[in-house]
Amino acid sequence: MTKLQSSNNSSSGIGVFGLLGVAFVVLKLTGVIDWSWWWVTLPFWGGLAIALLIISVVIVGSIIKLLIKR
């Protein structure tokens, strides 16, 4: 396996939420936007929110499936 092939296996970089978060922080610090810090940092929590939503849907679906089996 060549070095180029092995480097393709690792994932690196910034995601959409991270990019949005960095952009909002820069805009806040430069005074372009006058949002609260809660809204500015919200994109950093986006991935966690989506993961929690998916986990919640799976749990609720499993509970409903168990209740229907009875």
Side-chain angles (χ1 to χ4, degrees):
M1 186 176 332
T2 66
K3 186 174 182 177
L4 178 62
Q5 289 174 333
S6 65
S7 67
N8 288 337
N9 293 335
S10 65
S11 174
S12 63
I14 190 166
V16 173
F17 290 119
L19 189 60
L20 262 177
V22 170
F24 288 164
V25 168
V26 169
L27 291 173
K28 171 77 173 177
L29 292 175
T30 57
V32 175
I33 57 175
D34 190 27
W35 300 349
S36 73
W37 279 105
W38 171 253
W39 290 108
V40 171
T41 60
L42 196 60
F44 294 124
W45 297 96
L48 177 64
I50 290 174
L52 289 175
L53 179 68
I54 291 171
I55 291 169
S56 299
V57 168
V58 168
I59 289 173
V60 169
S62 297
I63 291 172
I64 291 172
K65 186 177 178 180
L66 285 174
L67 290 175
I68 290 175
K69 276 188 169 181
R70 287 185 175 186

